[in-house]
Amino acid sequence: MSFALQVSLAKAENLFPDGTPIDRWFYQSEPAKLNDLGKLFPLDKYGVKTNSDNIQTEAIQAVIDLAAKEGGTLVVPKGKFYSGALFFKQGVNLYLEKDAVLMGSDDINDFPVTDTRIEGQSCKYFAALINAKGLNQLLLLQSMIISKNIQLKN
């Protein structure tokens, strides 16, 4: 009986709670190197204004969409950038330089209602600042702090 229990527990450790197998990459803990992640797409080089008080969701999303075509990393440079919901795509990662801040808008209208999961339940709810639906990977590089006003800061 105890042998069967041990086998069952060992097997459970390789599965997510919903029964989905855990891939080996999930256990890799070495940090990714920025230069190994494809072309860099710094926001300020693609028309997004640094330290603007304007919500720049469309401009930032356009850079994400461009990066998705070529593969690479969205780079948030030093400064403050306000945005609504951003939808990352396959092949795009996120890097915040030192003293970079990606701050969510205070206007709920900048976060569309979308299909999501909250506490294991599927429902419609407002999108987050960073959204990654259907991706097999999204790397967030550098230490980030999430604080009031949905602020990501390095």
Side-chain angles (χ1 to χ4, degrees):
M1 181 72 154
S2 68
F3 175 76
L5 178 61
Q6 289 173 346
V7 170
S8 175
L9 288 176
K11 236 179 156 181
E13 290 176 5
N14 295 322
L15 300 175
F16 286 108
D18 69 355
T20 305
I22 300 174
D23 291 324
R24 289 187 337 171
W25 68 263
F26 189 81
Y27 298 103
Q28 296 173 345
S29 62
E30 62 275 354
K33 294 182 179 119
L34 182 60
N35 293 331
D36 293 342
L37 299 175
K39 183 176 177 179
L40 302 181
F41 293 86
L43 290 179
D44 57 341
K45 302 291 188 244
Y46 290 89
V48 181
K49 306 264 189 280
T50 304
N51 294 321
S52 171
D53 289 333
N54 296 325
I55 305 300
Q56 301 186 82
T57 310
E58 288 181 20
I60 296 170
Q61 187 64 54
V63 180
I64 293 169
D65 296 345
L66 178 63
K69 291 179 184 173
E70 299 181 33
T73 301
L74 180 75
V75 177
V76 180
K78 178 181 178 177
K80 189 177 280 190
F81 298 85
Y82 286 94
S83 182
L86 298 171
F87 296 88
F88 278 75
K89 298 182 177 176
Q90 189 63 42
V92 181
N93 298 298
L94 175 61
Y95 174 80
L96 273 75
E97 290 183 346
K98 183 172 177 23
D99 298 322
V101 177
L102 181 58
M103 182 172 263
S105 166
D106 287 333
D107 186 348
I108 195 66
N109 294 309
D110 292 324
F111 300 89
V113 173
T114 186
D115 291 325
T116 191
R117 287 183 58 84
I118 300 173
E119 296 184 6
Q121 301 296 314
S122 295
C123 63
K124 290 196 178 291
Y125 200 72
F126 297 99
L129 175 59
I130 304 295
N131 297 276
K133 186 174 181 180
L135 306 183
N136 66 14
Q137 153 179 312
L138 171 63
L139 297 176
L140 306 175
L141 298 128
Q142 293 297 65
S143 59
M144 292 179 233
I145 300 169
I146 301 176
S147 64
K148 65 181 181 178
N149 295 332
I150 315 172
Q151 178 175 312
L152 291 179
K153 171 173 129 173
N154 180 357

